[in-house]
Amino acid sequence: AQSVTQLDSHVSVSEGTPVLLRCNYSSSYSPSLFWYVQHPNKGLQLLLKYTSAATLVKGINGFEAEFKKSETSFHLTKPSAHMSDAAEYFCVVSNTGGYQKVTFGTGTKLQVIP
Amino acid sequence: GAVVSQHPSRVICKSGTSVKIECRSLDFQATTMFWYRQFPKKSLMLMATSNEGSKATYEQGVEKDKFLINHASLTLSTLTVTSAHPEDSSFYICSARQGLAGIETQYFGPGTRLLVL
């Protein structure tokens, strides 16, 4: 069984300040973890992925996430928020077996204040 | 990059009517497409996996006679909500997979918002 919890449904930051979007997961096996971003009226776009290699993963647009097995967390961070980062972010967990089961988090809406 | 489109982007229909939603991969061929449903403030739920030229595989709890899926070509899959009711109102998202299995190879459409009156 697997699940993913995004702890904040809404996060508001000022432009130029750090971003932290939290994600905790549970899994019976070694999972793959992903962060997706969804801008209004656009499809989900892959930001980054963890697939059992380096625990600190760098993605597009300056985002990165750290896989912490002891804390079962995969929080998304960015040093300095930009207005264009305002969007909905989804944390996703997937098994790595033959039949891929994917579980999405409920999403975190990021608001960036000028 | 790979682009997936959905049409229509939003639709309003009367209860009892059927609604068809199209999902197209614009610049690649997709042997597998996926249909998701997203409730307000809820995560995306996979409804079914659609393979070109064969019957769709539905997730547990999804009525296959209610949500008809057709994947007639390598670039088009359709979802038809038959005899729609207000509880079918939701945001439907498709994705198309390019290449090998793995969610990272899925490209998502922008979604279709369905409102059943």
Side-chain angles (χ1 to χ4, degrees), chain B residues 42-72:
Chain B
K42 298 275 189 181
S43 63
L44 276 72
M45 302 292 292
L46 179 64
M47 297 174 66
T49 302
S50 166
N51 293 296
E52 187 265 338
S54 63
K55 290 184 178 180
T57 303
Y58 290 81
E59 295 298 300
Q60 191 172 12
V62 178
E63 299 175 61
K64 60 181 180 181
D65 296 328
K66 173 78 171 173
F67 299 99
L68 299 178
I69 292 173
N70 184 277
H71 192 162

Side-chain angles (χ1 to χ4, degrees), chain A residues 47-105:
Chain A
L47 271 181
L48 50 80
K49 63 181 180 183
Y50 165 78
T51 54
S52 78
T55 57
L56 182 61
V57 181
K58 294 187 183 299
I60 61 172
N61 301 335
F63 284 94
E64 61 181 41
E66 186 171 7
F67 174 72
K68 292 186 176 180
K69 187 175 180 179
S70 60
E71 298 177 11
T72 61
S73 68
F74 190 59
H75 301 333
L76 181 70
T77 60
K78 183 173 180 178
S80 175
H82 192 272
M83 293 301 295
S84 61
D85 295 328
E88 185 111 27
Y89 292 79
F90 293 92
C91 182
V92 180
V93 62
S94 170
N95 66 330
T96 52
Y99 178 73
Q100 188 184 48
K101 181 172 174 58
V102 175
T103 303
F104 283 78

Side-chain angles (χ1 to χ4, degrees), chain B residues 74-87:
Chain B
L74 287 171
T75 59
L76 173 65
S77 176
T78 60
L79 169 69
T80 301
V81 183
T82 62
S83 186
H85 287 92
E87 58 266 30

